[in-house]
Amino acid sequence: MRRILAVLLENEAGALSRVANLFSARGINIDSLAVTPTSDETLSRMTLVTYGDDRILEQITKQLHKLVDVVTVMDLTAKEHMERELALIKVRFENAEDVDELQQVNKVYGGRIADANELCYTSEVVGTSGEIEDYITALSAHEIVEVVRSGPLGIRRGEKALEIGHHL
Amino acid sequence: MSTELLSSQPDSDTELLTGAEIFIRCLVEERVSTVFGYPGGAVLHIYDELHKQREVDHILVRHEQGATHAAEGYAKSTGKVGVALVTSGPGATNAVTGIADAYMDSVPIVVFTGQVRTALIGNDAFQEVDTVGITRPCVKHNILVKTVEEMPLAIRRAFHIASTGRPGPVVVDLPKDVTEQKMPFAYPENPHLRSYQPTTVGHAGQIKRAIKLLEKAERPIIYSGGGVISSNAHEELTEFTRLTGFPITNTLMGLGAFPGTDPQFVQMLGMHGSYEANMAMHHSDTLIAVGARFDDRITGNLEKFCPYAKVIHIDIDPSSISKNFPVHVPVVGDAKHVLRAMIDDLKQRERALPDISAWWDQIHEWAKKDSFAYKQEMDADIKPQYVLDALYRLTEGEAFVTSDVGQHQMWVAQLYKFNKPRRWINSGGLGTMGFGLPAAMGVQLAHPDSLVCCVTGEASIQMCIQELSTCRQYGLPIKVINLNNRYMGMVRQWQDFFYDSRYAMSYMEALPDFVKLAESYGHVGVKVEQAKDVEPTLKEVLAMKDRLVFVDVVTDPRENVFPMIAPGAAHNEMILS
Ligand SMILES: Cc1ncc(C[n+]2csc(CCOP(=O)(O)OP(=O)(O)O)c2C)c(N)n1
């Protein structure tokens, strides 16, 4: 089962590798990982996607909590939440008319052309991971040169925020 | 980490101290009286300061593995934090085994490692290793100190983290330039760790639920582990056990938390546990696990483990609960608090717990198997068990006993009845051969007037034999009992059971003359070859109170440890002989 975890951790050298170690030591794959500073400069926020059943997830969240550098862990999958991922997609077209198709697809998915060079176009699109996959499929008749994805960011819906001192 | 976190700000005109001086001051603040260590380039400033003062004793080991095990022995026998100090590079890598050992057995130690100058870090400098990276998977926490300003808080945190919650090792990596930088000294009172707040008090609702289960128990058993000793909860455990009248078994790491000679004690459980303990586990309907972690050497085949039991699990580490085995009533908290709360609750109840005399009858029936029994013919080879029995009788169960790893370790656990906690010091989780002698040094230094015995095998002892030199230098009168079967006995036993007795590399050839070896280190060496000499010799040895005596006992090379639960088997599938 796909899981998305939000983690607040001390913004210190080594904190990230402690988290990465914890997964690799248990043979669990991290599907995607996004880490950035927060408005509190002493903290980083991590959004992490992994796969596992309830027992694996329970053990992973407990182990994350056990790390001295980890301040808060939340399993977003268990809450009302939203996810957004950014993708940059470079596509090469054979003829200029095909570009119309790109614009059509962009309209549907809210994408935008970010760079154009002859017949090579780079567009950007934001959405759930599923939407991004659909977007790529929609262009699959053309030569997709490169795809870069940020991995999802997640946030709880409603008023509540992820805060220091939050417990599962 | 910023300096404004320091709770006591130094005055601007206070004296400036070097990082090395500050290091010593921090140790004094933490009331550290003994450090086990070995010098080298990266820690020379610190050694120079150690040389100038009297408050902290430094014990020079002969290998950094010895420093970490000695710190463990010190910590396990006292409950205080053990401290080791080693240089960068090979000093740090040599210390890793002891760090990993402390991690597996939750031993509070702080290991200070020297590091190359901050400007050289990452340059493959002489004696540089990424100590923080290498030790990351086997520490509770580790810290690279990048400036002298960070040092006091880092050390405050290290001791706090090592000794609270589920204890464990913390590594503090100190680059050489940090130990020469200067600043005014102030020691922070508060470790300021917003992300580290171990739960100690158990949830009242969970405790109520646990009590409810006890009230319905017909075939209960208490299974307690090293966590009870770590949290100094032996008195509460004893009171709880007496109050309930339930049978109790201890893990290898938990021996001594409940008196080993008490009739409610059904002996150790697990791979080499007693028949009655394992059968009682298998048939129980209510399991009360306290400070134990359902390790595979305890549970055997998890699918067949405790098939009828409702399980209560009391542990300070939430990640221990339901890790291997799903439990019904988890109680996260310090064993001492939780057991106290349960005792108070039980005492207030009017309704007595159910009568379990039928269950006790069954257990007594199982106990008749006398599964640790052995037979010593006086004209035959010396049975290792006979030596340990004699040791137990002659020391009246009062000695501190360390051991190495192998058959001898299991026999001590089976036969030496520990009535007090912190007397049995061994390497359970990592199973580190070489642990016994350096650990005994730590115990002896912490308890200078007590009898400390190290029970070992001729293979294990050779892994840290160099520490005999340390024992000589500091006059440590340890009694080393070498059960010399000329085999890596435990390996040979597995080869007997699972490899048709093909003894690949498990025989010990070219053994040294241990008596002469001990003598060359300046100790007393004695050899025992006949059963009739065992007791009189041990008596003489124990009377040599101020000398280290190395007793080389030539034992039966074929003896195996029984009972045994083969890997993958269940508790009711023991091999008895
Ligand atoms: C450092 C290390 N290496 C290897 C092992 C595997 N091992 C476990 S027990 C054992 C044999 C120990 O032999 P000895 O010390 O003579 O004790 P005995 O079993 O004969 O009592 C070995 C090699 C280990 N536990 N630790």
Side-chain angles (χ1 to χ4, degrees), chain B residues 105 224-232 251-255 257 290-293:
Chain B
D105 284 346
S224 85
V228 172
I229 296 174
S230 296
S231 78
N232 294 314
T251 68
L252 177 69
M253 303 314 289
L255 294 173
V290 195
R293 60 189 177 89

Side-chain angles (χ1 to χ4, degrees), chain B residues 97 404-409 411 430-434 456-461 463 483 485 487-491 508:
Chain B
T97 300
D404 269 303
V405 173
Q407 293 182 317
H408 62 274
Q409 175 188 26
W411 282 316
L430 197 65
T432 311
M433 290 169 68
T456 184
E458 78 296 331
S460 290
I461 192 66
M463 288 217 178
L483 297 178
N485 54 3
Y487 276 101
M488 297 174 193
M490 191 53 95
V491 174
M508 293 305 289

